[in-house]
Amino acid sequence: MKARIEKKLSKRLVELLPSVYRKAWRDQDPTELAYDQGSSVRHVLSVGGGVDYWGEGQDAYTVWEDWQMNWCWHGPFEAYPNGHRFQGYPNIEGFRPTTINLLKLAAQCERTSKEWP
């Protein structure tokens, strides 16, 4: 994936999931992907970073990277039953995490969160 596409996807996810990514910030430095590609893409919406309680730096990720790592926890997936080897984890069998499917899932997650009282 090109760095400019990652930037556009990050921006789109913040629009689709404002409740999840309300603390997103614009990174002044090129992303890791942009650096690897020799690109000058900057100002990508990112999450994380900063320092923890002990003053150690934490990793920052683009919004798109974060969504790719955590989408299964936000979706309407049932948990595996007790006794299963993945007990308690979301059952994501049958879901293909393509770009379009992840964007559709993000839109669906925001709609369902607005329906909660």
Side-chain angles (χ1 to χ4, degrees):
M1 169 182 296
K2 294 199 178 268
R4 63 184 175 80
I5 301 298
E6 181 183 39
K7 181 177 180 176
K8 290 178 182 182
L9 288 171
S10 293
K11 181 179 178 183
R12 183 70 179 136
L13 276 172
V14 170
E15 292 169 356
L16 288 173
L17 287 169
S19 61
V20 175
Y21 293 113
R22 65 182 169 273
K23 293 186 179 182
W25 48 275
R26 292 197 185 279
D27 194 354
Q28 303 298 322
D29 299 322
T31 63
E32 188 174 323
L33 184 61
Y35 181 79
D36 291 343
Q37 294 175 356
S39 172
S40 62
V41 175
R42 298 170 188 263
H43 306 285
V44 179
L45 289 168
S46 302
V47 292
V51 294
D52 61 10
Y53 177 78
W54 294 276
E56 297 177 2
Q58 295 179 330
D59 291 335
Y61 299 98
T62 66
V63 170
W64 179 247
E65 287 175 325
D66 183 68
W67 183 247
Q68 284 184 311
M69 291 185 290
N70 298 305
W71 60 267
C72 61
W73 299 106
H74 296 280
F77 305 110
E78 297 291 326
Y80 281 103
N82 290 338
H84 192 275
R85 85 177 224 213
F86 297 124
Q87 170 183 328
Y89 286 94
N91 183 353
I92 56 172
E93 292 176 11
F95 183 84
R96 294 184 53 214
T98 61
T99 301
I100 193 72
N101 286 345
L102 290 176
L103 288 174
K104 286 179 183 177
L105 178 64
Q108 180 184 4
C109 290
E110 188 63 23
R111 277 194 313 269
T112 57
S113 70
K114 287 181 180 178
E115 294 171 3
W116 286 90

